[in-house]
Amino acid sequence: MNIARRYLAAVIGAAMLTGCTTISENEYKNAQAIIGGSPAIKRSVITGCIARQAARPLVERKSESTIMNASLASFPTTFCNRLWNAFAKGRITYADYQDLSSSTADHSKVIKIMQGR
């Protein structure tokens, strides 16, 4: 699902500090440990995420806010908080990250997280 891929793309974008297009499981887990263990870094990542989401095309923000059960105005903040909190707590696993590159994989777990469930 394209929307689910975008969710995880935001996670991976911040996790890929090395500039690579893919990251290893260890790099993913290291990023989770850093973000989960440092409130200052997590705040910084969320702030950057909010700015990027707010700048996305209106059509995309509208459709994703509807899927997330969030208002259009709160979408950037809601999206980023749900995503990064789930990432930091380990609710979005490396296997989830790998699965999102497949159009046939089950993405319901990430969708539920983004819906606040």
Side-chain angles (χ1 to χ4, degrees):
M1 171 174 239
N2 198 19
I3 292 169
R5 282 191 199 132
R6 284 191 192 128
Y7 292 142
L8 204 52
V11 173
I12 301 313
M16 293 189 307
L17 301 175
T18 62
C20 300
T21 57
T22 61
I23 60 172
S24 70
E25 185 171 7
N26 288 339
E27 290 169 322
Y28 187 91
K29 288 179 179 180
N30 289 339
Q32 271 185 321
I34 291 167
I35 291 169
S38 174
I41 290 174
K42 186 164 76 169
R43 272 191 308 275
S44 176
V45 168
I46 289 172
T47 299
C49 175
I50 291 168
R52 285 187 303 279
Q53 293 307 312
R56 290 184 47 222
L58 181 60
V59 171
E60 291 179 11
R61 288 183 285 134
K62 280 183 178 180
S63 66
E64 291 183 27
S65 67
T66 301
I67 291 168
M68 290 177 53
N69 303 312
S71 71
L72 184 59
S74 70
F75 167 74
T77 302
T78 302
F79 173 91
C80 294
N81 280 312
R82 286 178 183 171
L83 176 70
W84 287 106
N85 286 328
F87 177 78
K89 292 177 182 175
R91 290 186 64 205
I92 299 175
T93 65
Y94 185 72
D96 298 327
Y97 155 64
Q98 290 182 310
D99 285 348
L100 286 175
S101 64
S102 167
S103 62
T104 59
D106 178 8
H107 302 183
S108 61
K109 178 181 173 186
V110 174
I111 292 167
K112 287 177 184 176
I113 288 169
M114 296 313 296
Q115 290 176 332
R117 302 189 278 150

